[in-house]
């Protein structure tokens, strides 16, 4: 007989039950310190492949690997106990076939302990969503502006601005819902379209540059804290200037090192005070 540890985290079914009841507040985290701070406050934390750009300084999200994301996800899972943890499937780890997607998703979940995966793609990826869900892997699908399609989209551009393209994105969303996705990230789409999709689906939508009508919102944590450099995306809001706090602390540290004020006797071993 096995004894199951009590699960205290917000589960995927609990997130789904939020639809129409209570908004889902989500952010990204890639490391233990951020995850620890975010966990008690948020419903969901995403280990996004945006860490390629935000954490590694790369120009896009295309070159982060499943092993790198799994390592970040393991750090986040180890440092949290409340929020539901979802990890991004990186570019090239799932597009080839549903079998490839399952092998990589299972490997990433086993290595990290995350609760589910997120994958980008329109209706063409719905079979993959179905394959994973049928085999026990919760899927958060991501439609609209899909950063992994940066080269085919010709840049990071808002999507669904014409009636025709809006219909395609609506069909993408419905296809993932029918395939069993537990939720849908709507990124960078026309506001009215986000509203339409949210009304049409029975699963929660989580917006990033979509509409306040979404069932939840997600942003990149560094964007809301003033840690993303000079340019914050139109869809984000800077809620604090943590960069300024860090600069002041580091200036003080450097000045104390240079003046000899740090380390002080209390920072040294074997010094009687
Ligand atoms: O990679 C990411 O951070 C995302 C967003 C939805 C925030 O996909």
């Amino acid at each position: 007989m096995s004894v199951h540890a009590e699960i205290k985290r917000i589960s995927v079914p609990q997130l789904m039950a939020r639809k129409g009841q209570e908004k889902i507040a989500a952010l990204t985290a890639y490391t233990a310190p951020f995850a620890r701070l975010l966990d008690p406050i948020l419903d969901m934390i995403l280990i996004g492949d945006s860490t390629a750009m935000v954490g590694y300084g790369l120009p896009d999200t295309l070159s982060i690997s499943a092993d790198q994301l799994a390592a970040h996800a393991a750090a986040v899972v180890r440092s949290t106990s409340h929020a539901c943890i979802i990890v991004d499937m990186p570019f090239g780890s799932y597009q080839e076939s549903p079998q490839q997607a399952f092998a990589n998703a299972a490997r990433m979940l086993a290595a990290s302990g995350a609760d589910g995966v997120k994958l980008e793609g329109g209706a063409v990826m719905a079979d993959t969503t179905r394959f994973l869900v049928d085999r026990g892997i919760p899927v958060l699908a991501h439609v609209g502006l899909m950063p992994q399609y940066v080269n085919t989209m010709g840049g990071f551009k808002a999507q669904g601005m014409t009636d025709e393209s809006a219909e395609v994105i609506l069909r993408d969303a419905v296809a993932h819902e029918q395939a069993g996705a537990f939720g849908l990230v709507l990124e960078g789409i026309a506001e009215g379209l986000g509203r339409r999709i949210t009304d049409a689906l029975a699963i929660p939508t989580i917006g990033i540059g979509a509409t306040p009508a979404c069932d939840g919102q997600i942003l990149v944590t560094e964007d809301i804290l003033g840690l993303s450099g000079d340019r914050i995306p139109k869809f984000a809001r800077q809620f604090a200037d943590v960069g300024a706090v860090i600069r002041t602390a580091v200036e003080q540290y450097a000045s104390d090192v240079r003046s000899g004020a740090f380390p002080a006797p209390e920072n040294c071993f074997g010094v009687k005070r």
Side-chain angles (χ1 to χ4, degrees), residues 52 61-72 88-91 93 107-108:
T61 61
L62 302 181
S63 47
I64 191 112
S65 71
D67 286 340
Q68 282 173 295
L69 278 187
H72 283 287
D88 247 338
M89 304 257 349
F91 181 67
S93 72
R107 193 161 60 87
M108 290 171 72

Side-chain angles (χ1 to χ4, degrees), residues 76-204:
V76 170
V77 170
R78 271 197 298 275
S79 321
T80 55
S81 60
H82 168 259
C84 187
I85 309 293
I86 304 298
V87 60
D88 247 338
M89 304 257 349
F91 181 67
S93 72
Y94 63 99
Q95 290 90 346
E96 198 176 312
S97 66
Q99 287 78 4
Q100 183 213 21
F102 181 80
N104 281 317
R107 193 161 60 87
M108 290 171 72
L109 294 191
S112 65
D115 300 294
V117 298
K118 175 167 85 58
L119 56 82
E120 296 178 13
V124 71
M125 294 306 297
D127 283 351
T128 298
T129 292
R130 164 64 58 209
F131 196 87
L132 298 190
V133 174
D134 281 353
R135 286 157 183 76
I137 299 184
V139 173
L140 178 63
H142 179 154
V143 302
L145 194 173
M146 298 175 288
Q148 292 180 16
Y149 288 73
V150 61
N151 290 323
T152 45
M153 288 187 310
F156 299 105
K157 295 177 183 162
Q159 304 291 307
M161 308 304 277
T162 64
D163 288 351
E164 214 177 28
S165 62
E167 286 312 312
V168 173
I169 296 171
L170 176 61
R171 279 201 296 275
D172 292 342
V174 170
H176 281 290
E177 176 178 50
Q178 287 174 350
F182 76 83
L184 202 67
V185 168
L186 300 178
E187 176 164 358
I189 57 169
E191 198 275 338
L193 173 62
R195 207 169 273 276
R196 238 177 110 199
I197 295 175
T198 301
D199 288 347
L201 300 190
I203 55 172

Side-chain angles (χ1 to χ4, degrees), residues 260-273:
F262 180 85
E266 67 265 24
N267 306 117
C268 300
F269 299 101
V271 177
K272 296 229 170 8
R273 289 197 296 137

Side-chain angles (χ1 to χ4, degrees), residues 252-263:
Q252 186 63 58
Y253 165 75
S255 156
D256 285 2
V257 168
R258 289 175 187 134
S259 71
F262 180 85

Side-chain angles (χ1 to χ4, degrees), residues 27-28 30 46-51 54 61 88 118 120 142 147 185-187 206-208 218-221 235:
L27 284 170
T28 58
Y30 319 120
L46 172 73
I47 298 88
D49 59 358
S50 53
T51 193
V54 177
T61 61
D88 247 338
K118 175 167 85 58
E120 296 178 13
H142 179 154
V185 168
L186 300 178
E187 176 164 358
I206 302 184
I208 170 164
I218 185 160
L219 286 173
V220 168
T221 298
F235 53 75

